[in-house]
Amino acid sequence: MKLQNKLTLLFFSIGTIGLVLFHAAIFYFVSEFNFEDFFKRLQARAKLAAEINIYPDEKSIAYQEMRSRYLEKMEDEKDYVIRIDSLTRMQFERPVSLPETFYKTVVSKGDARYNKNNNFYYGKLFKTQHGNYIVIVTASDPSGFHELETLRKVLLIVFVISVLLTYVGGKIFSRYSVRPLTAVIRNVKNISANNLHLRLKELDGNDEMSELVLTFNNMLNRLETAFATQNNFVSNASHELKTPLTIITAETELVLAQKGISPETEASAKTILYHADKLGHIITSLLGLAQSGFDGKKQNWQKIRIDELIITVADAVKKIHPDSVIQIDFSSLPTEESLLCTEGNINLLQLALSNIVGNACKYSNNQLVDIRVSVENGRIAISITDRGIGIPESEQQHIFEPFFRASNTSDFEGHGIGLPLTLNIIRLHKGSIGIRSEEQKGTEMQIILPVSNNFLITA
């Protein structure tokens, strides 16, 4: 998940939880306020009911008149007066079916409250000279219940709107937050090995993004220095290494050209010449390996038809391995010729494919080697299959390491540089290499290359 989406989700989650708590708190406190207000009204009526029913005298008539004239008649309002003989024994009439805890609370604490299904009950204990009484007043509150239902609907609508606004705000917040990072990513994508002199624009401030840009620029400085050093080495190594090697080879050939040299001298000279030639091949391969992985500049890049390149590679390998048997399968090629074209350096690609096809012929003792070419989803697939000695499973992960040779290749000449060089070339062309091998059964190497962008047909 992208950082922007994570920030949006985090902002949305925190905002939604906050809105839930906020709206729940509003509904809770409003409902508690309504309940408290209603119970206070019941409490006032309980006192009036006590004055009217427990103390019947001239004032009772006045209280009754005041209640009927000035107090609003509540919905389903009823009064109950219960005389109790003893406060220790709960033996008295219960005109209202309420939980026993309600009556016990009235007796022990002096009053109690209870509500169920929008029916409210308030009970109060009155101690008089004539005895002890419990007055219970009950009523319903449809208007209050309706107000709470309206509040619930309003809060729900406001909550939905707030959630949507929170999501939009989260998107805006995340986009604004990652904008500097997006700019850095866009600029980094434009920096490659052939323009390492470019730097990211430093940001104002001392925040993490400014530190990231500064760190990346410092890394580019180090990379540019390292690449420049490698470039100098690659440029000078050919002359510095090959010149003395050429002299050694020439002097050795002069020795061999002389007449009358002893057999021991001739044998030694041939050994020197053999190893000088071998060293020359190693140096050439190492220089090729270094150059292929150096800068990625598209020097001498052109449109290359893979089918024609495969034919050229097969002919070149047959000249090196005259006894090789190479079979090319073009049956899966598309009818659109432009889909067979990739972009790259034809000499490098020919070298990479020749390495793989040559290895297939060499390590299979010139048994049949199949080359199959196909195109799918804008990618060119080249499969090279042999019936040779294969590669031990535990060693397959190391075959692209320089100078590594499988344990079963001791009878074959090689330096362990061809496949690393091939991998660098394929990566340089934005491709990939896959391998599937089994000892004593053979090896299949598959190279994937992109179809040229200029020729790629999109639906």
Side-chain angles (χ1 to χ4, degrees):
M1 184 183 293
K2 291 186 176 180
L3 179 60
Q4 182 175 344
N5 294 334
K6 288 183 179 180
L7 288 176
T8 301
L9 182 60
L10 180 62
F11 187 93
F12 178 74
S13 301
I14 295 175
T16 302
I17 293 174
L19 287 172
V20 169
L21 295 177
F22 178 71
H23 286 80
I26 290 178
F27 186 81
Y28 172 78
F29 286 115
V30 170
S31 60
E32 285 296 310
F33 175 82
N34 284 351
F35 292 165
E36 182 66 23
D37 179 69
F38 197 77
F39 276 120
K40 286 182 178 180
R41 293 165 65 186
L42 291 179
Q43 184 178 6
R45 283 162 174 76
K47 291 180 179 179
L48 287 176
E51 293 290 343
I52 295 171
N53 296 287
I54 298 178
Y55 314 107
D57 53 19
E58 293 144 358
K59 293 182 180 180
S60 300
I61 299 175
Y63 284 125
Q64 180 67 38
E65 183 179 357
M66 182 183 68
R67 178 175 182 179
S68 59
R69 180 177 295 183
Y70 298 106
L71 290 182
E72 175 190 0
K73 182 69 174 177
M74 303 174 71
E75 191 76 18
D76 299 328
E77 181 180 347
K78 295 179 182 178
D79 301 338
Y80 301 94
V81 180
I82 307 170
R83 179 182 176 85
I84 57 177
D85 298 327
S86 173
L87 295 177
T88 58
R89 293 183 299 171
M90 300 296 293
Q91 295 180 353
F92 53 84
E93 183 182 358
R94 291 164 174 74
V96 186
S97 178
L98 294 172
E100 189 65 20
T101 54
F102 175 83
Y103 291 101
K104 291 181 179 179
T105 303
V106 173
V107 173
S108 61
K109 296 184 178 181
D111 65 349
R113 299 176 178 183
Y114 179 74
N115 70 290
K116 182 179 181 181
N117 298 329
N118 201 35
N119 292 316
F120 296 81
Y121 303 87
Y122 177 79
K124 186 172 179 60
L125 176 66
F126 291 89
K127 299 178 181 180
T128 68
Q129 297 177 351
H130 307 289
N132 300 318
Y133 296 87
I134 294 178
V135 177
I136 298 176
V137 180
T138 176
S140 61
D141 186 19
S143 60
F145 183 77
H146 178 70
E147 290 176 0
L148 290 178
E149 283 297 314
T150 303
L151 177 63
R152 182 185 287 110
K153 293 179 181 178
V154 170
L155 289 178
L156 181 60
I157 295 173
V158 173
F159 174 76
V160 173
I161 296 175
S162 300
V163 167
L164 294 176
L165 292 177
T166 300
Y167 177 76
V168 174
K171 293 288 288 185
I172 297 174
F173 168 78
S174 61
R175 181 174 300 177
Y176 175 79
S177 299
V178 302
R179 183 181 297 171
L181 183 60
T182 303
V184 169
I185 294 174
R186 184 170 57 252
N187 292 332
V188 169
K189 287 182 178 179
N190 294 328
I191 299 176
S192 61
N194 60 331
N195 59 0
L196 280 175
H197 62 280
L198 296 179
R199 295 293 182 270
L200 300 179
K201 182 180 179 181
E202 295 187 2
L203 304 176
D204 297 330
N206 297 317
D207 57 5
E208 287 79 1
M209 285 304 304
S210 301
E211 185 177 355
L212 175 62
V213 170
L214 183 61
T215 302
F216 198 87
N217 284 337
N218 291 334
M219 183 189 69
L220 286 176
N221 291 332
R222 295 192 297 270
L223 283 177
E224 186 178 18
T225 302
F227 272 54
T229 302
Q230 185 175 353
N231 187 27
N232 292 332
F233 169 77
V234 173
S235 300
N236 299 324
S238 177
H239 174 74
E240 298 296 332
L241 294 177
K242 285 191 174 182
T243 298
L245 190 60
T246 302
I247 296 174
I248 293 173
T249 302
E251 292 296 328
T252 305
E253 289 176 348
L254 287 176
V255 172
L256 289 174
Q258 294 178 5
K259 296 180 179 180
I261 62 174
S262 64
E264 293 81 2
T265 302
E266 183 179 1
S268 298
K270 288 183 178 179
T271 301
I272 293 173
L273 188 61
Y274 170 78
H275 286 285
D277 184 62
K278 183 177 180 180
L279 182 59
H281 285 298
I282 294 175
I283 291 175
T284 301
S285 299
L286 287 175
L287 290 175
L289 183 61
Q291 289 172 333
S292 66
F294 169 58
D295 56 9
K297 295 180 181 178
K298 295 186 177 181
Q299 297 174 352
N300 302 320
W301 277 40
Q302 62 190 84
K303 298 297 181 297
I304 303 171
R305 279 197 53 152
I306 292 299
D307 53 346
E308 296 177 354
L309 180 62
I310 293 297
I311 295 174
T312 302
V313 167
D315 292 339
V317 172
K318 285 182 179 179
K319 291 179 181 179
I320 301 174
H321 303 279
D323 297 330
S324 61
V325 181
I326 301 174
Q327 177 176 289
I328 303 175
D329 181 5
F330 287 152
S331 61
S332 300
L333 293 184
T335 56
E336 182 63 44
E337 293 183 1
S338 61
L339 295 177
L340 289 171
C341 293
T342 190
E343 189 174 359
N345 185 300
I346 190 169
N347 293 324
L348 289 178
L349 276 181
Q350 182 176 338
L351 174 61
L353 293 173
S354 297
N355 283 339
I356 295 180
V357 177
N359 283 347
C361 295
K362 179 172 65 173
Y363 292 114
S364 64
N365 291 314
N366 295 321
Q367 297 185 63
L368 179 63
V369 173
D370 292 317
I371 303 177
R372 183 176 180 273
V373 183
S374 60
V375 179
E376 185 177 357
N377 299 325
R379 312 288 288 180
I380 301 173
I382 306 170
S383 298
I384 301 168
T385 307
D386 65 54
R387 296 163 178 77
I389 62 174
I391 304 171
E393 184 177 357
S394 60
E395 300 178 6
Q396 292 178 16
Q397 58 183 327
H398 302 292
I399 63 172
F400 294 108
E401 298 175 5
F403 301 109
F404 177 82
R405 302 196 70 208
S407 58
N408 58 347
T409 61
S410 57
D411 295 333
F412 300 88
E413 184 178 353
H415 310 298
I417 300 176
L419 285 181
L421 175 59
T422 298
L423 178 63
N424 277 3
I425 293 174
I426 298 302
R427 285 178 174 174
L428 186 64
H429 289 77
K430 298 181 180 179
S432 60
I433 299 180
I435 182 172
R436 182 171 55 189
S437 182
E438 187 175 351
E439 273 192 279
Q440 303 305 324
K441 289 189 177 180
T443 301
E444 178 184 1
M445 301 281 287
Q446 186 177 66
I447 298 174
I448 304 295
L449 292 171
V451 172
S452 175
N453 291 330
N454 294 335
F455 289 151
L456 182 61
I457 299 176
T458 56

